[in-house]
Amino acid sequence: MQSFKLLKPHVYLDESNNGRRSEPTLKGGCCRCGFVFFPMQTYGCERCGSHGNALAPRSLSTHGTLLASAVVHLHADKSRTTPFTIVKVALDDGPVVRTLLASDCGDVAPGRRMKAKLEPLRGDDGETVFDLRFTTADQDHQEQHHGAPPQ
Ligand SMILES: [Zn+2]
């Protein structure tokens, strides 16, 4: 069985054990005060300042709503293929994630329902690595939503 390499395994996981290759788990956290954040960290809660074991890891919904997007046509790093689109997505669990739009996704506008996916990228050494992207979720939102119910 081929192993899949993730670009940022500390931020998200691949739920390959349930057979959905492109369905990631977002590794967020929750403070005892109820504040939910992403990615997981133990430095301190942005709301109440608690740290250490007041902050516990929590898997977050991969669904959210698009807040803003920006198309980048020129990038200082010449190895990046342009244009690409940066999106800001408010997860259903609260935290706002800033990442790239999936390369096979068309135009998006604020308010669109989005979901996270893992997209294969060609690494410098020719090895395939997967990184987190967001794509539109309208069409398959119903049958794809299998996460925990909102609290
Ligand atoms: Zn807190």
Side-chain angles (χ1 to χ4, degrees):
M1 186 174 156
Q2 193 181 359
S3 70
F4 285 80
K5 198 171 156 187
L6 300 173
L7 197 60
K8 297 165 196 154
H10 56 291
V11 173
Y12 47 80
L13 279 176
D14 179 14
E15 288 188 335
S16 54
N17 55 352
N18 68 4
R20 289 170 189 265
R21 172 53 60 195
S22 60
E23 193 90 0
T25 294
L26 298 178
K27 295 166 86 170
C30 185
C31 177
R32 65 179 164 211
C33 76
F35 185 74
V36 178
F37 50 92
F38 175 82
M40 175 60 192
Q41 49 86 12
T42 53
Y43 304 115
C45 172
E46 287 172 55
R47 185 158 80 188
C48 74
S50 295
H51 55 87
N53 55 19
L55 308 172
R58 177 169 156 181
S59 295
L60 303 180
S61 167
T62 54
H63 289 260
T65 303
L66 183 68
L67 296 178
S69 65
V71 180
V72 176
H73 292 281
L74 276 175
H75 196 271
D77 180 353
K78 296 280 191 284
S79 69
R80 297 282 285 268
T81 306
T82 55
F84 57 86
T85 305
I86 297 172
V87 291
K88 216 166 120 182
V89 176
L91 298 179
D92 291 346
D93 284 326
V96 173
V97 179
R98 195 166 156 274
T99 184
L100 297 185
L101 187 68
S103 59
D104 59 355
C105 189
D107 289 343
V108 288
R112 254 327 261 272
R113 292 291 298 162
M114 306 292 287
K115 66 170 183 173
K117 65 177 275 192
L118 292 171
E119 185 164 286
L121 309 172
R122 186 62 67 183
D124 294 338
D125 53 2
E127 191 179 20
T128 299
V129 293
F130 285 78
D131 196 15
L132 189 70
R133 295 289 184 270
F134 271 87
T135 190
T136 51
D138 287 344
Q139 303 83 350
D140 55 3
H141 180 232
Q142 293 302 321
E143 67 268 21
Q144 289 279 332
H145 192 77
H146 61 98
Q151 294 174 357

